[in-house]
Amino acid sequence: MDMSVLIALPVIIPLIIGALSLVALNNHGVQRILGVLGTAAVLVAAIVLLWQTWLNGIKVLEVGSWPAPFGIVLVSDLLGAIMVLLAAITGFATAVYSLKTVRKRFERFGYYPLLHLLLAGVNGAFLTGDIFNLYVWFEVLLVASFALLIQGGERAQMEGAIKYVTLNLLSSALFLTAIGLLYGLVGSLNMADIAVRLQQVEDPKMVTLVAMLFLIAFSIKAAAFPLFFWLPASYHTPQVAVSAVFAGLLTKVGVYALYRVFTLMFTGEVDFTHQILLWMAVFTMLTGVLGAASQYEVRRILSFHIISQIGYMMLGLALFTPLALIGGVFYIMHHIIVKANLFFVAGMMYRLGGSFELKQLGGLYKKHPGLALLFMIPAFSLAGVPPLSGFFAKFILIKAGVEAQAWWAVAIALFVGLFTLFSMIKIWNEAFWKKAPEPAIEVPAPYRNTALYWTTGLLAAMTVAIGIFAQPIYVLAETAAQQLLEPQRYIEAVLGGAK
Amino acid sequence: MTTMMAILIGCLYAAAIYMMLRRSMVKLLIGLILLSNAANLLIFTVAGLERGVPPLIAKGAETVVGGSADPLAQALILTAIVIGFGVLAFAVVLLHRAYEVIRTDDMNEMKGTD
């Protein structure tokens, strides 16, 4: 058997598991077991895929054996494989965390099938080498996320969902428009083929125009300034496991798409396109962190921090130097794990403290020191305190900024890091350190939280590990960035097979 | 013909954005419908407007002779229509449920989560 079939596994497994758990909709036990086993299987496949991609270079699967550029290809370059692995880690953690947090009523309404469908969509988006196929995967994950977002049907969820759905559909329509114009320009949908043909287009202004349409479409999905308003309006409304998987993965699909198209396809007028990206990155960082400073609800603080972190990732792409791209890839790796974990911890704070509101929380450190430790690790990592993963991610990016002499961006990035620390210390002071407010909130009798501690503990351990083993992770990010900077390799891997 | 289509598509986009900026949920929905149709028509136009020339390869020939419309683009539109139909159906149900929960059609009243 050809090893390239491996590329399809991270997409196919969640689809099959999702279908199976749909069949077992009324059997909660089977659904849960399928959830954990299925996501674990994807995790194994993702590890093998990354390992194979690391050893043998970019792998390509021509779906249905239609040769590129005519058929759809699945491509696993290092960035794609890394993203799939991160998605698999988040998916597995969410499945384990869901065991104890998702209500039976939601399980009956298809929580697990939707979660698997979401993960299939995310993995498909990371692996496809076809721009229209990317659109299809975007829609797959969007539809699943719509349904997950409104499970429960409370007023806040409806209000949040209307904004989320509207802006994401707008983004999809713009994406489709951009695909149409691009197809009119070059007559191909295969991304590698488009990259080749774009070099022969006579009118570079038209290419840049299409690039800007892609930029707007993906920036809405990535929640970048000034298109982020749907995110803080909706991400804190669903149940915590859903919030965590959204926070970890969905905006990052937008970031990934930006990385893909602005390294592979639209590199003709870097001075213009990446300058715009730079300004967007700077303002995204700034507005996100300032928004967080004004909030007193744990999940809303964390939601605004997603936005500011997206800014850092875009900064790596915008500077477009080798070091900056390494920093960007490193940042994505660090961020997905930390962010999902912080939402998981927020869910445990709710469970043990009875509220998401900082003003109503308090005294958690005294009662649950283990939870306090589990909060501190991702929180300080997010703020960039050494030796945790966030420090190295920020350090590489800021070093790249200094080398590129983008002083404003460097200054803002440092300032935003400081304010992130401020936000995290605010949560720490209010929820963990200060005395519990009187009268205390009624907390339902604690039941076994072992699965929750395991999930957050494991993710926290990964955060520490990324910090301690920063060198090998750096080498991985470096190789991924090299592949991004030399699109020729990607193009040869995809189109070489046809010739 | 292409110019006419371009103007039509431009008007559709403009109308869609205008409708989406209104305060009423129903108008928002109409905006979304217009938007997805505009995008589909755009792809249709971009692929070339040719009448009565099926993209069939004649016996013995290697490629299509003469200017026929691009069939791939039409396949894309078919896919996009199906996807658009699905998500719009979801949006209709969502807006209906939202109306039942919030009891208003006015987007300005939905600021609880901002």
Side-chain angles (χ1 to χ4, degrees), chain A residues 144-230:
Chain A
S145 73
F146 292 166
L148 282 173
L149 187 64
I150 56 162
Q151 275 203 331
E154 285 165 23
R155 180 179 171 135
Q157 287 182 301
M158 289 299 165
E159 291 185 8
I162 288 177
K163 288 155 200 167
Y164 178 88
V165 169
T166 309
L167 282 170
N168 273 296
L169 289 185
L170 174 70
S171 149
S172 294
L174 290 176
F175 185 12
L176 193 59
T177 309
I179 292 174
L181 291 176
L182 188 62
Y183 184 72
L185 216 51
V186 298
S188 181
L189 294 169
N190 183 296
M191 289 201 260
D193 197 31
I194 293 172
V196 174
R197 291 181 186 217
L198 273 178
Q199 291 161 5
Q200 296 147 10
V201 172
E202 282 162 12
D203 188 2
K205 290 279 170 288
M206 193 65 199
V207 176
T208 308
L209 185 84
V210 175
M212 289 297 104
L213 258 180
F214 276 109
L215 176 66
I216 296 171
F218 293 148
S219 298
I220 295 178
K221 308 245 188 235
F225 178 87
L227 310 159
F228 61 81
F229 295 99
W230 56 270

Side-chain angles (χ1 to χ4, degrees), chain A residues 379-395:
Chain A
F380 279 101
S381 180
L382 192 76
V385 174
L388 298 163
S389 59
F391 167 73
F392 292 100
K394 283 200 171 73
F395 177 72

Side-chain angles (χ1 to χ4, degrees), chain A residues 96-115:
Chain A
V96 176
Y97 193 87
S98 303
L99 294 177
K100 290 283 172 194
T101 56
V102 173
R103 295 196 193 122
K104 281 214 163 121
R105 164 163 90 87
F106 296 149
E107 287 183 348
R108 239 186 336 270
F109 278 109
Y111 170 79
Y112 280 105
L114 287 169
L115 181 66

Side-chain angles (χ1 to χ4, degrees), chain A residues 292-298 301 356-359 426 430:
Chain A
S294 68
Q295 298 294 330
Y296 278 91
E297 209 261 36
V298 179
I301 296 175
F356 284 115
E357 293 290 339
L358 286 182
K359 289 188 173 140
K426 182 167 83 182
E430 295 283 329

Side-chain angles (χ1 to χ4, degrees), chain A residues 34 36 66 166 178 250 294 299 335 342 350 382 401 430 432 479:
Chain A
L34 276 176
V36 174
W66 289 93
T166 309
L250 293 197
S294 68
R299 291 172 303 171
H335 167 89
L342 276 173
Y350 176 75
L382 192 76
E430 295 283 329
F432 289 95
T479 321

Side-chain angles (χ1 to χ4, degrees), chain A residues 348-389:
Chain A
M348 291 168 73
M349 283 161 70
Y350 176 75
R351 180 170 264 235
L352 300 171
S355 176
F356 284 115
E357 293 290 339
L358 286 182
K359 289 188 173 140
Q360 295 168 0
L361 284 165
L364 281 175
Y365 173 65
K366 210 168 182 182
K367 271 185 270 174
H368 307 284
L371 182 67
L373 179 70
L374 283 176
F375 170 75
M376 271 177 89
I377 292 172
F380 279 101
S381 180
L382 192 76
V385 174
L388 298 163
S389 59

Side-chain angles (χ1 to χ4, degrees), chain A residues 132 139 143 146 150 153 155-156 158-159 162-163 165-166 169-170 173 176-177 180 183-184 189 232-233 236 300, chain B residues 13 20 25 28 35 40 42 46 70 72 76 79-80 83 87 90 94 98 101-102 107 109-114:
Chain A
F132 190 78
E139 296 299 303
V143 167
F146 292 166
I150 56 162
R155 180 179 171 135
M158 289 299 165
E159 291 185 8
I162 288 177
K163 288 155 200 167
V165 169
T166 309
L169 289 185
L170 174 70
L176 193 59
T177 309
Y183 184 72
L189 294 169
H236 62 286
R300 298 208 64 181
Chain B
Y13 272 103
M20 289 176 74
M25 273 198 309
L28 170 76
L35 195 63
N40 288 339
L42 179 108
V46 156
D70 187 342
L72 180 66
L76 298 187
T79 315
I83 292 175
V87 289
F90 177 85
L94 171 69
V101 174
I102 309 172
M107 301 290 289
E109 312 260 308
M110 300 181 195
K111 289 182 183 163
T113 60
D114 279 339

Side-chain angles (χ1 to χ4, degrees), chain A residues 475-492:
Chain A
V475 174
L476 180 64
E478 189 182 22
T479 321
Q482 264 169 9
Q483 286 185 355
L484 291 178
L485 277 172
E486 295 167 22
Q488 209 53 40
R489 284 204 239 167
Y490 184 98
I491 293 167
E492 269 167 28

